[in-house]
mmCIF file of all heavy atoms in Angstrom:
data_model
loop_
_atom_site.group_PDB
_atom_site.id
_atom_site.type_symbol
_atom_site.label_atom_id
_atom_site.label_comp_id
_atom_site.label_asym_id
_atom_site.label_seq_id
_atom_site.Cartn_x
_atom_site.Cartn_y
_atom_site.Cartn_z
ATOM 1 N N LEU A 21 -7.211 -19.496 21.498
ATOM 2 C CA LEU A 21 -7.624 -19.440 22.907
ATOM 3 C C LEU A 21 -9.124 -18.993 22.959
ATOM 4 O O LEU A 21 -9.959 -19.435 23.687
ATOM 5 C CB LEU A 21 -6.875 -18.485 23.715
ATOM 6 C CG LEU A 21 -5.285 -18.737 23.920
ATOM 7 C CD1 LEU A 21 -4.532 -17.628 24.471
ATOM 8 C CD2 LEU A 21 -5.138 -20.043 24.658
ATOM 9 N N VAL A 22 -9.493 -18.001 22.158
ATOM 10 C CA VAL A 22 -10.847 -17.563 22.165
ATOM 11 C C VAL A 22 -11.773 -18.666 21.606
ATOM 12 O O VAL A 22 -12.845 -18.938 22.102
ATOM 13 C CB VAL A 22 -10.962 -16.268 21.239
ATOM 14 C CG1 VAL A 22 -12.486 -15.742 21.177
ATOM 15 C CG2 VAL A 22 -10.173 -15.169 21.881
ATOM 16 N N ALA A 23 -11.360 -19.305 20.476
ATOM 17 C CA ALA A 23 -12.138 -20.343 19.909
ATOM 18 C C ALA A 23 -12.487 -21.461 20.833
ATOM 19 O O ALA A 23 -13.554 -21.976 20.976
ATOM 20 C CB ALA A 23 -11.496 -20.821 18.587
ATOM 21 N N ARG A 24 -11.487 -21.815 21.648
ATOM 22 C CA ARG A 24 -11.675 -22.966 22.598
ATOM 23 C C ARG A 24 -12.428 -22.524 23.827
ATOM 24 O O ARG A 24 -12.944 -23.408 24.607
ATOM 25 C CB ARG A 24 -10.358 -23.496 22.977
ATOM 26 C CG ARG A 24 -9.624 -24.286 21.979
ATOM 27 C CD ARG A 24 -8.422 -25.081 22.487
ATOM 28 N NE ARG A 24 -7.269 -24.330 22.505
ATOM 29 C CZ ARG A 24 -6.428 -24.150 23.617
ATOM 30 N NH1 ARG A 24 -6.804 -24.680 24.701
ATOM 31 N NH2 ARG A 24 -5.380 -23.451 23.532
ATOM 32 N N SER A 25 -12.640 -21.215 24.038
ATOM 33 C CA SER A 25 -13.508 -20.663 25.104
ATOM 34 C C SER A 25 -15.028 -20.679 24.748
ATOM 35 O O SER A 25 -15.841 -20.454 25.510
ATOM 36 C CB SER A 25 -13.034 -19.312 25.526
ATOM 37 O OG SER A 25 -11.718 -19.385 26.012
ATOM 38 N N HIS A 26 -15.239 -20.983 23.411
ATOM 39 C CA HIS A 26 -16.646 -20.920 22.894
ATOM 40 C C HIS A 26 -17.616 -21.743 23.653
ATOM 41 O O HIS A 26 -18.723 -21.474 23.860
ATOM 42 C CB HIS A 26 -16.651 -21.174 21.451
ATOM 43 C CG HIS A 26 -18.059 -21.168 20.816
ATOM 44 N ND1 HIS A 26 -18.891 -20.011 20.720
ATOM 45 C CD2 HIS A 26 -18.814 -22.122 20.306
ATOM 46 C CE1 HIS A 26 -20.001 -20.320 20.267
ATOM 47 N NE2 HIS A 26 -19.978 -21.544 19.937
ATOM 48 N N ALA A 27 -17.138 -22.905 24.076
ATOM 49 C CA ALA A 27 -18.013 -23.836 24.757
ATOM 50 C C ALA A 27 -18.605 -23.337 26.091
ATOM 51 O O ALA A 27 -19.682 -23.621 26.508
ATOM 52 C CB ALA A 27 -17.311 -25.226 25.036
ATOM 53 N N GLU A 28 -17.839 -22.465 26.802
ATOM 54 C CA GLU A 28 -18.266 -21.948 28.064
ATOM 55 C C GLU A 28 -18.508 -20.425 28.084
ATOM 56 O O GLU A 28 -19.161 -20.018 29.098
ATOM 57 C CB GLU A 28 -17.029 -22.207 29.106
ATOM 58 C CG GLU A 28 -15.750 -21.655 28.713
ATOM 59 C CD GLU A 28 -14.663 -21.956 29.676
ATOM 60 O OE1 GLU A 28 -14.946 -21.840 30.864
ATOM 61 O OE2 GLU A 28 -13.527 -22.236 29.274
ATOM 62 N N LEU A 29 -18.128 -19.664 27.085
ATOM 63 C CA LEU A 29 -18.344 -18.225 27.070
ATOM 64 C C LEU A 29 -18.982 -17.836 25.760
ATOM 65 O O LEU A 29 -18.713 -18.431 24.719
ATOM 66 C CB LEU A 29 -17.007 -17.463 27.252
ATOM 67 C CG LEU A 29 -16.368 -17.592 28.625
ATOM 68 C CD1 LEU A 29 -14.953 -16.949 28.564
ATOM 69 C CD2 LEU A 29 -17.205 -16.879 29.639
ATOM 70 N N PRO A 30 -19.818 -16.727 25.823
ATOM 71 C CA PRO A 30 -20.289 -16.275 24.540
ATOM 72 C C PRO A 30 -19.306 -15.278 23.829
ATOM 73 O O PRO A 30 -19.230 -14.103 24.105
ATOM 74 C CB PRO A 30 -21.544 -15.414 25.112
ATOM 75 C CG PRO A 30 -21.199 -14.970 26.370
ATOM 76 C CD PRO A 30 -20.386 -16.145 27.053
ATOM 77 N N VAL A 31 -18.429 -15.890 23.043
ATOM 78 C CA VAL A 31 -17.294 -15.162 22.460
ATOM 79 C C VAL A 31 -17.492 -15.023 20.976
ATOM 80 O O VAL A 31 -18.313 -15.826 20.375
ATOM 81 C CB VAL A 31 -15.968 -15.880 22.759
ATOM 82 C CG1 VAL A 31 -15.733 -15.860 24.223
ATOM 83 C CG2 VAL A 31 -16.011 -17.302 22.194
ATOM 84 N N CYS A 32 -16.895 -14.077 20.395
ATOM 85 C CA CYS A 32 -16.817 -13.924 18.987
ATOM 86 C C CYS A 32 -15.459 -13.309 18.627
ATOM 87 O O CYS A 32 -14.748 -12.727 19.410
ATOM 88 C CB CYS A 32 -17.939 -13.177 18.306
ATOM 89 S SG CYS A 32 -17.966 -11.450 18.631
ATOM 90 N N ILE A 33 -15.067 -13.369 17.333
ATOM 91 C CA ILE A 33 -13.819 -12.788 16.836
ATOM 92 C C ILE A 33 -14.096 -11.843 15.656
ATOM 93 O O ILE A 33 -14.884 -12.257 14.685
ATOM 94 C CB ILE A 33 -12.893 -13.861 16.359
ATOM 95 C CG1 ILE A 33 -12.435 -14.838 17.557
ATOM 96 C CG2 ILE A 33 -11.584 -13.324 15.766
ATOM 97 C CD1 ILE A 33 -11.701 -16.060 17.166
ATOM 98 N N VAL A 34 -13.550 -10.650 15.679
ATOM 99 C CA VAL A 34 -13.640 -9.747 14.530
ATOM 100 C C VAL A 34 -12.122 -9.574 14.054
ATOM 101 O O VAL A 34 -11.244 -9.319 14.755
ATOM 102 C CB VAL A 34 -14.182 -8.424 14.908
ATOM 103 C CG1 VAL A 34 -15.730 -8.627 15.294
ATOM 104 C CG2 VAL A 34 -13.589 -7.677 16.050
ATOM 105 N N ARG A 35 -12.085 -9.614 12.638
ATOM 106 C CA ARG A 35 -10.872 -9.589 11.962
ATOM 107 C C ARG A 35 -10.781 -8.369 10.999
ATOM 108 O O ARG A 35 -11.034 -8.496 9.823
ATOM 109 C CB ARG A 35 -10.503 -10.753 11.209
ATOM 110 C CG ARG A 35 -10.289 -12.047 12.021
ATOM 111 C CD ARG A 35 -9.961 -13.099 10.994
ATOM 112 N NE ARG A 35 -9.848 -14.486 11.715
ATOM 113 C CZ ARG A 35 -10.272 -15.511 11.197
ATOM 114 N NH1 ARG A 35 -10.881 -15.551 9.999
ATOM 115 N NH2 ARG A 35 -10.068 -16.713 11.889
ATOM 116 N N PRO A 36 -10.522 -7.145 11.502
ATOM 117 C CA PRO A 36 -10.448 -6.019 10.561
ATOM 118 C C PRO A 36 -9.196 -6.154 9.732
ATOM 119 O O PRO A 36 -8.093 -6.687 10.166
ATOM 120 C CB PRO A 36 -10.370 -4.751 11.446
ATOM 121 C CG PRO A 36 -9.891 -5.236 12.794
ATOM 122 C CD PRO A 36 -10.331 -6.740 12.863
ATOM 123 N N SER A 37 -9.140 -5.659 8.465
ATOM 124 C CA SER A 37 -8.100 -5.546 7.649
ATOM 125 C C SER A 37 -7.244 -4.332 8.030
ATOM 126 O O SER A 37 -7.308 -3.910 9.193
ATOM 127 C CB SER A 37 -8.366 -5.424 6.129
ATOM 128 O OG SER A 37 -9.241 -4.430 5.815
ATOM 129 N N ILE A 38 -6.477 -3.696 7.256
ATOM 130 C CA ILE A 38 -5.729 -2.504 7.541
ATOM 131 C C ILE A 38 -6.622 -1.311 7.850
ATOM 132 O O ILE A 38 -7.366 -0.883 7.050
ATOM 133 C CB ILE A 38 -4.708 -2.102 6.486
ATOM 134 C CG1 ILE A 38 -3.822 -3.272 6.177
ATOM 135 C CG2 ILE A 38 -3.959 -0.846 6.885
ATOM 136 C CD1 ILE A 38 -2.834 -2.897 4.947
ATOM 137 N N VAL A 39 -6.671 -0.862 9.151
ATOM 138 C CA VAL A 39 -7.530 0.117 9.618
ATOM 139 C C VAL A 39 -6.960 1.479 9.266
ATOM 140 O O VAL A 39 -5.851 1.756 9.717
ATOM 141 C CB VAL A 39 -7.748 0.015 11.142
ATOM 142 C CG1 VAL A 39 -8.699 1.181 11.659
ATOM 143 C CG2 VAL A 39 -8.365 -1.301 11.550
ATOM 144 N N CYS A 40 -7.670 2.183 8.484
ATOM 145 C CA CYS A 40 -7.292 3.537 8.032
ATOM 146 C C CYS A 40 -8.246 4.618 8.551
ATOM 147 O O CYS A 40 -9.195 4.316 9.281
ATOM 148 C CB CYS A 40 -7.347 3.534 6.565
ATOM 149 S SG CYS A 40 -5.949 2.638 5.814
ATOM 150 N N PRO A 41 -7.911 5.873 8.347
ATOM 151 C CA PRO A 41 -8.670 6.944 8.996
ATOM 152 C C PRO A 41 -10.211 6.890 8.745
ATOM 153 O O PRO A 41 -10.623 6.164 7.821
ATOM 154 C CB PRO A 41 -8.162 8.290 8.305
ATOM 155 C CG PRO A 41 -6.713 7.966 8.028
ATOM 156 C CD PRO A 41 -6.740 6.486 7.655
ATOM 157 N N ALA A 42 -10.936 7.586 9.609
ATOM 158 C CA ALA A 42 -12.417 7.389 9.639
ATOM 159 C C ALA A 42 -13.032 8.059 8.347
ATOM 160 O O ALA A 42 -12.475 9.024 7.928
ATOM 161 C CB ALA A 42 -12.933 8.121 10.889
ATOM 162 N N TRP A 43 -14.072 7.448 7.948
ATOM 163 C CA TRP A 43 -14.855 8.017 6.798
ATOM 164 C C TRP A 43 -15.696 9.172 7.255
ATOM 165 O O TRP A 43 -15.618 10.264 6.684
ATOM 166 C CB TRP A 43 -15.680 6.955 6.105
ATOM 167 C CG TRP A 43 -16.714 7.411 5.107
ATOM 168 C CD1 TRP A 43 -18.063 7.237 5.218
ATOM 169 C CD2 TRP A 43 -16.472 8.179 3.991
ATOM 170 N NE1 TRP A 43 -18.718 7.782 4.194
ATOM 171 C CE2 TRP A 43 -17.794 8.331 3.395
ATOM 172 C CE3 TRP A 43 -15.433 8.630 3.288
ATOM 173 C CZ2 TRP A 43 -17.962 9.040 2.177
ATOM 174 C CZ3 TRP A 43 -15.572 9.323 2.073
ATOM 175 C CH2 TRP A 43 -16.793 9.509 1.504
ATOM 176 N N GLU A 44 -16.423 8.946 8.333
ATOM 177 C CA GLU A 44 -17.378 9.999 8.817
ATOM 178 C C GLU A 44 -17.210 10.384 10.277
ATOM 179 O O GLU A 44 -17.252 11.542 10.700
ATOM 180 C CB GLU A 44 -18.843 9.696 8.416
ATOM 181 C CG GLU A 44 -19.183 9.646 7.048
ATOM 182 C CD GLU A 44 -20.691 9.356 6.909
ATOM 183 O OE1 GLU A 44 -21.213 8.458 7.672
ATOM 184 O OE2 GLU A 44 -21.388 9.978 6.081
ATOM 185 N N GLU A 45 -17.047 9.260 11.084
ATOM 186 C CA GLU A 45 -17.144 9.450 12.605
ATOM 187 C C GLU A 45 -15.803 9.136 13.265
ATOM 188 O O GLU A 45 -15.071 8.220 12.803
ATOM 189 C CB GLU A 45 -18.287 8.548 13.071
ATOM 190 C CG GLU A 45 -19.663 8.660 12.482
ATOM 191 C CD GLU A 45 -20.620 7.719 13.122
ATOM 192 O OE1 GLU A 45 -20.536 6.495 12.592
ATOM 193 O OE2 GLU A 45 -21.349 8.091 13.961
ATOM 194 N N PRO A 46 -15.634 9.757 14.392
ATOM 195 C CA PRO A 46 -16.305 10.887 15.027
ATOM 196 C C PRO A 46 -16.219 12.123 14.171
ATOM 197 O O PRO A 46 -17.029 13.049 14.343
ATOM 198 C CB PRO A 46 -15.785 10.933 16.365
ATOM 199 C CG PRO A 46 -14.349 10.499 16.181
ATOM 200 C CD PRO A 46 -14.353 9.340 15.213
ATOM 201 N N VAL A 47 -15.102 12.324 13.441
ATOM 202 C CA VAL A 47 -14.986 13.437 12.485
ATOM 203 C C VAL A 47 -14.273 12.842 11.188
ATOM 204 O O VAL A 47 -13.451 11.861 11.382
ATOM 205 C CB VAL A 47 -14.106 14.646 13.128
ATOM 206 C CG1 VAL A 47 -14.900 15.304 14.179
ATOM 207 C CG2 VAL A 47 -12.714 14.060 13.647
ATOM 208 N N PRO A 48 -14.611 13.238 10.111
ATOM 209 C CA PRO A 48 -13.983 12.725 8.826
ATOM 210 C C PRO A 48 -12.522 12.840 8.948
ATOM 211 O O PRO A 48 -11.922 13.864 9.232
ATOM 212 C CB PRO A 48 -14.536 13.607 7.782
ATOM 213 C CG PRO A 48 -15.821 14.224 8.359
ATOM 214 C CD PRO A 48 -15.673 14.311 9.814
ATOM 215 N N GLY A 49 -11.827 11.704 8.578
ATOM 216 C CA GLY A 49 -10.392 11.633 8.612
ATOM 217 C C GLY A 49 -9.646 11.430 9.914
ATOM 218 O O GLY A 49 -8.460 11.537 9.932
ATOM 219 N N TRP A 50 -10.467 11.211 11.032
ATOM 220 C CA TRP A 50 -9.867 11.073 12.273
ATOM 221 C C TRP A 50 -8.750 9.885 12.256
ATOM 222 O O TRP A 50 -9.098 8.855 11.822
ATOM 223 C CB TRP A 50 -10.846 10.829 13.360
ATOM 224 C CG TRP A 50 -10.305 10.365 14.657
ATOM 225 C CD1 TRP A 50 -10.198 9.016 15.083
ATOM 226 C CD2 TRP A 50 -9.414 11.026 15.561
ATOM 227 N NE1 TRP A 50 -9.554 8.995 16.219
ATOM 228 C CE2 TRP A 50 -8.975 10.182 16.601
ATOM 229 C CE3 TRP A 50 -8.956 12.361 15.624
ATOM 230 C CZ2 TRP A 50 -8.152 10.516 17.611
ATOM 231 C CZ3 TRP A 50 -8.187 12.801 16.716
ATOM 232 C CH2 TRP A 50 -7.807 11.876 17.603
ATOM 233 N N VAL A 51 -7.642 10.186 12.824
ATOM 234 C CA VAL A 51 -6.595 9.161 12.945
ATOM 235 C C VAL A 51 -5.600 9.631 13.991
ATOM 236 O O VAL A 51 -5.497 10.985 14.037
ATOM 237 C CB VAL A 51 -5.877 8.766 11.618
ATOM 238 C CG1 VAL A 51 -5.120 9.995 11.105
ATOM 239 C CG2 VAL A 51 -5.003 7.606 11.802
ATOM 240 N N ASP A 52 -5.024 8.827 14.777
ATOM 241 C CA ASP A 52 -4.049 9.384 15.799
ATOM 242 C C ASP A 52 -2.653 8.730 15.544
ATOM 243 O O ASP A 52 -1.815 8.814 16.523
ATOM 244 C CB ASP A 52 -4.522 9.170 17.205
ATOM 245 C CG ASP A 52 -4.613 7.580 17.544
ATOM 246 O OD1 ASP A 52 -4.386 6.803 16.679
ATOM 247 O OD2 ASP A 52 -4.951 7.311 18.718
ATOM 248 N N ASN A 53 -2.352 8.120 14.439
ATOM 249 C CA ASN A 53 -1.097 7.613 14.253
ATOM 250 C C ASN A 53 -0.825 7.487 12.734
ATOM 251 O O ASN A 53 -1.796 7.598 11.894
ATOM 252 C CB ASN A 53 -0.948 6.251 14.893
ATOM 253 C CG ASN A 53 -1.723 5.104 14.329
ATOM 254 O OD1 ASN A 53 -1.611 4.698 13.109
ATOM 255 N ND2 ASN A 53 -2.666 4.706 15.037
ATOM 256 N N LEU A 54 0.400 7.320 12.300
ATOM 257 C CA LEU A 54 0.804 7.300 10.863
ATOM 258 C C LEU A 54 1.252 5.937 10.519
ATOM 259 O O LEU A 54 2.078 5.726 9.632
ATOM 260 C CB LEU A 54 1.931 8.353 10.690
ATOM 261 C CG LEU A 54 1.508 9.852 10.716
ATOM 262 C CD1 LEU A 54 2.664 10.704 10.512
ATOM 263 C CD2 LEU A 54 0.426 10.117 9.775
ATOM 264 N N ASN A 55 0.601 4.928 11.122
ATOM 265 C CA ASN A 55 0.918 3.523 10.625
ATOM 266 C C ASN A 55 0.311 3.171 9.281
ATOM 267 O O ASN A 55 -0.738 3.743 9.064
ATOM 268 C CB ASN A 55 0.456 2.544 11.779
ATOM 269 C CG ASN A 55 1.224 2.713 13.021
ATOM 270 O OD1 ASN A 55 2.283 3.116 13.173
ATOM 271 N ND2 ASN A 55 0.450 2.437 14.220
ATOM 272 N N GLY A 56 0.905 2.257 8.601
ATOM 273 C CA GLY A 56 0.286 1.751 7.411
ATOM 274 C C GLY A 56 0.354 2.730 6.203
ATOM 275 O O GLY A 56 1.222 3.637 6.137
ATOM 276 N N PRO A 57 -0.610 2.544 5.302
ATOM 277 C CA PRO A 57 -0.644 3.310 4.078
ATOM 278 C C PRO A 57 -0.619 4.834 4.296
ATOM 279 O O PRO A 57 -0.174 5.575 3.474
ATOM 280 C CB PRO A 57 -1.931 2.861 3.344
ATOM 281 C CG PRO A 57 -2.188 1.487 3.909
ATOM 282 C CD PRO A 57 -1.747 1.571 5.309
ATOM 283 N N VAL A 58 -1.402 5.263 5.342
ATOM 284 C CA VAL A 58 -1.441 6.790 5.625
ATOM 285 C C VAL A 58 -0.039 7.282 5.912
ATOM 286 O O VAL A 58 0.306 8.401 5.464
ATOM 287 C CB VAL A 58 -2.441 7.028 6.800
ATOM 288 C CG1 VAL A 58 -2.481 8.440 7.019
ATOM 289 C CG2 VAL A 58 -3.873 6.548 6.388
ATOM 290 N N GLY A 59 0.706 6.627 6.668
ATOM 291 C CA GLY A 59 2.009 6.959 6.982
ATOM 292 C C GLY A 59 2.916 7.093 5.630
ATOM 293 O O GLY A 59 3.713 8.060 5.503
ATOM 294 N N VAL A 60 2.645 6.133 4.776
ATOM 295 C CA VAL A 60 3.427 6.180 3.555
ATOM 296 C C VAL A 60 3.088 7.470 2.692
ATOM 297 O O VAL A 60 3.922 8.036 2.155
ATOM 298 C CB VAL A 60 3.166 4.927 2.722
ATOM 299 C CG1 VAL A 60 3.787 4.999 1.285
ATOM 300 C CG2 VAL A 60 3.732 3.745 3.430
ATOM 301 N N MET A 61 1.716 7.716 2.659
ATOM 302 C CA MET A 61 1.333 8.828 1.873
ATOM 303 C C MET A 61 1.784 10.191 2.478
ATOM 304 O O MET A 61 2.156 11.062 1.766
ATOM 305 C CB MET A 61 -0.244 8.867 1.752
ATOM 306 C CG MET A 61 -0.773 7.791 0.805
ATOM 307 S SD MET A 61 -2.560 8.001 0.408
ATOM 308 C CE MET A 61 -3.277 7.313 1.916
#
C-alpha cells in the first residue's frame, strides 16, 4: 500500500530487525517490554 502511494505522496519504508533495548538513549538499556531475546534472557 505504501509503495503504490509513492507516485502521489513522499513516502518511505524503514524495516528494523528485532528491536532490543537502547544502547545509550534516552537512558542505557531502556526497554518497556520483554518481547524477543531480552525476554528469553
Side-chain angles (χ1 to χ4, degrees):
L21 296 175
V22 177
R24 285 192 277 126
S25 299
H26 175 66
E28 53 179 322
L29 290 173
V31 296
C32 72
I33 298 171
V34 294
R35 295 181 182 141
S37 55
I38 301 175
V39 178
C40 288
W43 166 240
E44 289 182 322
E45 302 178 284
V47 287
W50 163 257
V51 66
D52 67 355
N53 65 69
L54 291 176
N55 296 332
V58 177
V60 172
M61 287 191 285

